[in-house]
Amino acid sequence: AILCGLEPRYNLADLLSAQRPISDILQPAPGPIQVLPGAGAGERLRHWHAASVGPICRQLEHLDSRTDIVVMDAGNRPTRLTRRFWRLADLILAVSRPDRSSVLSTYAAIKFMAENCNVGVIHLVVNFSPTPEEAGDVHRRLREACRRFLGIPLLGADHIPPDPSVTRAA
């Protein structure tokens, strides 16, 4: 929402607390997309409860009739809620940076999210990778760990080199 220049009136916290339906929260963004703004860093998502997840998931599934693609940024902290969203997904795209702590965090997130959940294949994008070779190394290490310890295939999607103009804009 921020990078699209939106000033949302409602956001994910309103959806999770069942105060607003998804139709009230979706906002038109530049181009033919709509954005469901995430909760701000200072907002608490602890007010959502397990009973609200089913209705939220049904609202997301009903978006199929109005959209071609739904992209959800589930953040970098695995939770029971994001695990539920993984179960709904047709395609899961994990994002990692090449640094060691990010690779370990990405593996930990995949491990948590895939627990007791048939996720199928996960795709990996390596962000802020200066070379395709470095991205390939990150993919190889994560692919081997996921195969060996989790029995999950991990496909390389691509890499995104650092872009100072995007960093400044963000």
Side-chain angles (χ1 to χ4, degrees):
I2 292 169
L3 292 176
C4 289
L6 302 178
E7 295 183 27
R9 183 172 178 189
Y10 306 113
N11 64 32
L12 179 62
D14 298 301
L15 179 65
L16 293 175
S17 64
Q19 292 180 6
R20 295 283 173 189
I22 199 167
S23 58
D24 285 357
I25 300 169
L26 284 171
Q27 293 195 314
I33 65 171
Q34 292 186 329
V35 172
L36 190 151
E43 291 185 80
R44 301 239 183 241
L45 295 183
R46 65 179 174 177
H47 298 294
W48 77 273
H49 47 84
S52 68
V53 174
I56 290 167
C57 290
R58 282 190 289 283
Q59 289 184 64
L60 288 169
E61 288 172 335
H62 285 289
L63 289 177
D64 281 349
S65 64
R66 298 184 359 205
T67 61
D68 293 325
I69 299 171
V70 175
V71 177
M72 178 180 289
D73 181 348
N76 60 356
R77 290 197 181 112
T79 66
R80 288 178 295 140
L81 178 62
T82 54
R83 184 187 289 158
R84 184 78 184 261
F85 292 147
W86 273 44
R87 288 181 183 142
L88 286 176
D90 294 324
L91 184 138
I92 297 169
L93 184 66
V95 180
S96 182
R97 288 184 175 209
D99 61 273
R100 181 182 169 101
S101 65
S102 182
V103 171
L104 291 172
S105 293
T106 301
Y107 175 76
I110 291 170
K111 180 179 177 182
F112 175 84
M113 299 298 272
E115 185 179 325
N116 300 321
C117 179
N118 183 17
V119 295
V121 176
I122 298 173
H123 301 262
L124 176 70
V125 169
V126 182
N127 197 10
F128 289 94
S129 177
T131 67
E133 293 77 24
E134 184 177 60
D137 181 57
V138 170
H139 176 255
R140 181 190 54 75
R141 289 184 285 143
L142 279 168
R143 181 187 67 230
E144 287 304 310
C146 287
R147 182 193 57 76
R148 182 175 178 193
F149 300 113
L150 305 176
I152 296 172
L154 183 72
L155 299 180
D158 209 341
H159 83 284
I160 303 170
D163 184 344
S165 63
V166 171
T167 305
R168 280 191 302 276

